[in-house]
Amino acid sequence: MNQTFTIKEKTKQIFILLIPILITQLGMFSMVFFNTIMSGKYNSSDLAGVAIGSSIWSPIFNGISGILLAVSPIAAQRFGEKKSNEVSAVVRHGIYLSVMITLAVIILGFFLLGPILDKMGLPVGVEKTAFNYLVGLSFGLLPLFVFNVLRSFIYALGKTRVVMVIMLLSLPVNFFLNYAFIFGHFGFPELGGAGAGYATSITYWIIMGMTLFIVKTQDPFSSYPVFSNIREFSWEKCKEILKIGVPMGLSIFFETSMFAVVTILLSKFNVTTIAAYQAALNIVSFLYMIPISISTALTVLVGYEVGAKRYKDATQYSWLGVVLAILIATGTGMLVVAFRYQVAGFYSNETAVINLTANFLIFALFFQISDAIQATAQAALRGYKDVNLAFIMTLIAYWLICLPAGYLLAHFTGLGARGYWVGLTIGLLAAGIALSLRLIYIQKRKFINIQVKEVV
């Protein structure tokens, strides 16, 4: 990353970081897509098992990733301060935490996974596939979490294309392993949907191996002694990561689980409504990769400028990111609305499902804009390492506004299932406004005061 002086240069810098991050996000999405589609080609029971397993794992993974991705803003600030030894220490202790978290997840999974699946009342074949799929995934937890730490380090230095290349190289490997383990080709055992879990775990080990090799041998990463002094352990360094990471992780977890709860609440409606909601949500989730990629870039850039004590530049990056996210969300949303029937047709051949999905997508436009505001404002706050109040704001917005408003509108007005989309939009917009106000406060009070003191 380089210091920028104009809005044009800053916009270019955002896109330099953004595009590789977006491609990486699409690559990670593709791995889940391969798991689901190829399991469905094996048989419908295995498809259902993988879907259930993924729904259990997704909130947990996103929450834990949020904790470990705290390495990014902390390392970015240290990088801006030109404290290379402290950057290395942060990354090293992030790896320590990834090992500890892996052990905790495996232990909890050993005792809780079986009872959770039993209480879901699934058909025997579906439950068995879901269990074995998650067991297969568990072998890849350590490399996945270590990769997330190293990815945060690489992002903090502004070298986002490195991770993109690693992800693109791993996709053919993942596709091959899925094909081999699910269907039992090339001498591999035929494991059905469960094979997708083992294939993904092996892919994670390969991804981590490539990332470790690059960090140890390639500039500028090799100039940071991440793997030296490996025996030096400090709880204070771990606490610093957890202080930022736990609110980040919980915020992501509660947002992800909120959508899971809405899905459960919608199960009371007819099959057409459920299918239409899932189709519309899948489309919105896919488009959400753009603001979430902007958010990742924004956290790094704001953190870097704050570390360098260029608070004016940090402020400009913050609002430039918010505006870009709104513009892109509006543009992509309008395209989806304009071609909503054609887009809905990709998900179903039934006229009723297509019509209702198309109707949901109109509401999804406003939902997407609200989500873009809250995601980028929250990302900018993470760059300032201001996460505790932001977490409380989002928790209130998700669980005390989104869900109650959606439930009331869906069940006590004529909106029906559309009420959930309106409720989600209201809650996310409330989060966006609250986080934006907090961002203004931080920029105009806290960091201006610091800057004045330093000048004096």
Side-chain angles (χ1 to χ4, degrees):
M1 289 185 293
N2 300 310
Q3 182 179 0
T4 55
F5 300 95
T6 66
I7 295 297
K8 183 178 179 181
E9 289 178 352
K10 285 179 171 60
T11 304
K12 182 180 178 181
Q13 183 72 70
I14 289 176
F15 276 101
I16 287 172
L17 268 66
L18 163 65
I19 293 172
I21 292 172
L22 178 58
I23 294 171
T24 301
Q25 291 289 127
L26 291 171
M28 297 181 78
F29 178 85
S30 297
M31 289 178 66
V32 178
F33 179 77
F34 289 159
N35 290 348
T36 305
I37 293 297
M38 297 180 77
S39 297
K41 294 293 183 182
Y42 187 76
N43 65 51
S44 58
S45 176
D46 283 65
L47 171 61
V50 170
I52 294 294
S54 297
S55 67
I56 293 171
W57 171 237
S58 182
I60 298 169
F61 163 67
N62 288 322
I64 292 172
S65 293
I67 295 173
L68 297 175
L69 289 174
V71 169
S72 191
I74 297 171
Q77 284 200 14
R78 299 291 189 276
F79 180 50
E81 294 165 349
K82 301 187 186 305
K83 297 179 179 178
S84 59
N85 285 333
E86 291 192 22
V87 171
S88 303
V90 169
V91 178
R92 187 161 55 249
H93 284 81
I95 294 172
Y96 291 146
L97 280 175
S98 68
V99 174
M100 289 184 269
I101 291 172
T102 298
L103 292 173
V105 172
I106 290 174
I107 292 169
L108 288 172
F110 180 80
F111 290 104
L112 298 178
L113 180 57
I116 289 172
L117 290 172
D118 287 339
K119 287 185 177 181
M120 295 179 73
L122 300 168
V124 176
V126 174
E127 181 177 337
K128 182 180 178 182
T129 298
F131 181 85
N132 290 331
Y133 172 71
L134 290 170
V135 169
L137 276 180
S138 69
F139 289 98
L141 293 184
L142 179 61
L144 174 61
F145 294 155
V146 171
F147 166 69
N148 273 323
V149 172
L150 296 176
R151 175 166 67 120
S152 298
F153 167 53
I154 293 170
Y155 282 174
L157 301 188
K159 306 296 182 181
T160 55
R161 280 179 290 183
V162 173
V163 181
M164 176 191 73
V165 171
I166 292 171
M167 186 57 61
L168 291 177
L169 289 173
S170 69
L171 286 178
V173 175
N174 181 246
F175 184 86
F176 169 79
L177 291 172
N178 265 309
Y179 183 70
F181 277 106
I182 292 173
F183 298 98
H185 293 301
F186 310 110
F188 288 88
E190 184 180 343
L191 301 176
Y198 291 96
T200 302
S201 287
I202 294 171
T203 306
Y204 288 152
W205 281 102
I206 293 170
I207 289 172
M208 185 191 73
M210 288 192 287
T211 310
L212 283 170
F213 175 78
I214 288 171
V215 169
K216 289 191 71 173
T217 63
Q218 303 297 310
D219 286 329
F221 316 112
S222 59
S223 62
Y224 292 84
V226 172
F227 303 105
S228 64
N229 304 320
I230 200 73
R231 293 184 180 180
E232 291 184 8
F233 178 81
S234 167
W235 275 113
E236 291 303 315
K237 293 290 183 184
C238 289
K239 286 178 183 177
E240 182 183 14
I241 297 171
L242 292 173
K243 186 178 178 180
I244 305 297
V246 170
M248 285 174 58
L250 287 174
S251 181
I252 295 169
F253 173 80
F254 283 121
E255 182 179 8
T256 308
S257 58
M258 174 189 68
F259 286 101
V261 171
V262 171
T263 302
I264 293 169
L265 291 171
L266 274 166
S267 65
K268 299 183 182 296
F269 290 84
N270 58 43
V271 175
T272 298
T273 301
I274 297 169
Y277 170 78
Q278 288 295 338
L281 183 62
N282 187 266
I283 295 163
V284 170
S285 299
F286 180 77
L287 293 175
Y288 181 62
M289 290 184 190
I290 300 174
I292 204 65
S293 298
I294 295 174
S295 299
T296 304
L298 204 56
T299 296
V300 171
L301 290 167
V302 172
Y304 173 70
E305 297 296 347
V306 169
K309 296 181 172 57
R310 294 190 289 263
Y311 302 122
K312 181 180 178 182
D313 292 291
T315 299
Q316 290 177 339
Y317 269 124
S318 300
W319 296 108
L320 184 58
V322 173
V323 170
L324 281 173
I326 293 171
L327 290 174
I328 293 172
T330 303
T332 55
M334 290 178 69
L335 281 173
V336 169
V337 170
F339 298 99
R340 59 189 181 278
Y341 290 100
Q342 291 86 344
V343 172
F346 286 117
Y347 290 84
S348 178
N349 295 320
E350 299 177 23
T351 303
V353 174
I354 291 173
N355 289 336
L356 188 54
T357 303
N359 192 274
F360 283 161
L361 288 174
I362 296 174
F363 292 90
L365 166 64
F366 302 100
F367 163 88
Q368 193 175 325
I369 294 170
S370 300
D371 210 9
I373 297 170
Q374 70 93 21
T376 46
Q378 190 172 14
L381 286 169
R382 288 170 182 166
Y384 288 101
K385 297 200 297 188
D386 186 80
V387 294
N388 291 320
L389 188 57
F391 161 64
I392 294 170
M393 288 175 174
T394 53
L395 180 61
I396 292 170
Y398 298 154
W399 287 86
L400 298 182
I401 299 178
C402 281
L403 285 176
Y407 184 85
L408 292 172
L409 290 170
H411 296 275
F412 296 96
T413 71
L415 286 172
R418 299 171 188 83
Y420 282 108
W421 284 109
V422 178
L424 289 169
T425 302
I426 292 170
L428 291 172
L429 183 59
I433 293 170
L435 292 166
S436 297
L437 291 173
R438 176 63 179 174
L439 184 58
I440 292 170
Y441 173 82
I442 287 294
Q443 292 169 341
K444 290 193 173 182
R445 297 292 182 89
K446 187 174 179 181
F447 282 88
I448 284 294
N449 290 341
I450 292 173
Q451 197 170 22
V452 169
K453 287 177 183 178
E454 287 174 349
V455 171
V456 174

